[in-house]
Amino acid sequence: MEQQVLVSVLIPNYNEGAAYGRETLESIIAQTYQIGKPLLLTTDPTDKSDDVGANYAAKDSGIKYFKRAGCPMAHQPAETLLFQKSKGRNIIFLDSDDLLAPHCLEQRVVTASTNTGYDFGCFLCCFLKQNNKKPEIFGIRVTSDQL
C-alpha cells in the first residue's frame, strides 16, 4: 500500500460503553493498520459510558470523544453526527459492543484501494460469544489462535 489512508471508525453509544466500550476501543487501538481514528459519541448516558470515552480520548489524541445531550437514542442521528465530524477517506461504523480482529482495518483499506470503482463495500464478519470462557463462532468451538 503506497499511501496511508485515514479510516474513521464511528461508534455511537447509548449505555453500552461502560460494559463494552473499553474492549471496542482496545480492539481499534490494537489494529495492524495504525491510521484508524475512532470517533465515539455518547448520548445522555445513565451508566459510566461518558467516563470511558473521556478517559480514552484524554490518553490518546487520535480518539475523538463527543457527548451530546438530548440526542435521540436511535443510532441514525448519532451516526449522522459522527459522519459529519469524520475526516477519514474510509468509514467503518461499529456498535459500542463490537470488536475488530487486529487485521480488520488493514484488510479493508487494501481491498478498497485495489477496487477503486466501488463506492461501498461489505465484508464478512463472525459472531463470537464466550461460552464458559471458550470462544465459539457460529456454535463451532475454536481456539484463540484461530481467531
Side-chain angles (χ1 to χ4, degrees):
M1 190 172 6
E2 297 170 12
Q3 184 181 4
Q4 295 288 319
V5 176
L6 178 64
V7 178
S8 292
V9 182
L10 310 183
I11 312 164
N13 172 61
Y14 178 76
N15 283 349
E16 291 180 337
Y20 305 107
R22 287 178 186 86
E23 292 177 80
T24 300
L25 290 169
E26 287 295 332
S27 78
I28 298 167
I29 292 167
Q31 292 296 298
T32 57
Y33 186 81
Q34 290 296 309
I35 312 296
K37 300 298 178 195
L39 285 81
L40 173 67
L41 171 70
T42 299
T43 57
D44 293 329
T46 57
D47 65 355
K48 299 285 185 189
S49 294
D50 53 343
D51 293 343
V52 173
N55 288 340
Y56 270 86
K59 290 189 283 186
D60 184 335
S61 63
I63 297 173
K64 302 300 179 201
Y65 173 68
F66 306 96
K67 182 176 177 182
R68 184 165 179 199
C71 185
M73 290 184 287
H75 270 13
Q76 192 273 331
E79 287 176 343
T80 300
L81 179 67
L82 287 171
F83 184 79
Q84 291 168 345
K85 293 184 176 292
S86 68
K87 293 183 168 74
R89 182 168 151 215
N90 294 339
I91 306 287
I92 292 180
F93 289 96
L94 294 181
D95 288 330
S96 56
D97 60 349
D98 290 348
L99 301 175
L100 296 179
H103 63 276
C104 180
L105 295 183
E106 181 176 12
Q107 177 190 54
R108 280 144 179 77
V109 168
V110 168
T111 301
S113 66
T114 56
N115 295 282
T116 57
Y118 297 94
D119 297 321
F120 186 82
C122 294
F123 294 85
L124 294 175
C125 71
C126 64
F127 298 96
L128 175 69
K129 72 175 183 176
Q130 291 291 102
N131 182 8
N132 297 325
K133 306 244 185 237
K134 297 177 185 173
E136 290 185 22
I137 299 175
F138 297 111
I140 302 168
R141 291 224 185 265
V142 294
T143 60
S144 60
D145 61 318
Q146 293 173 305
L147 296 176

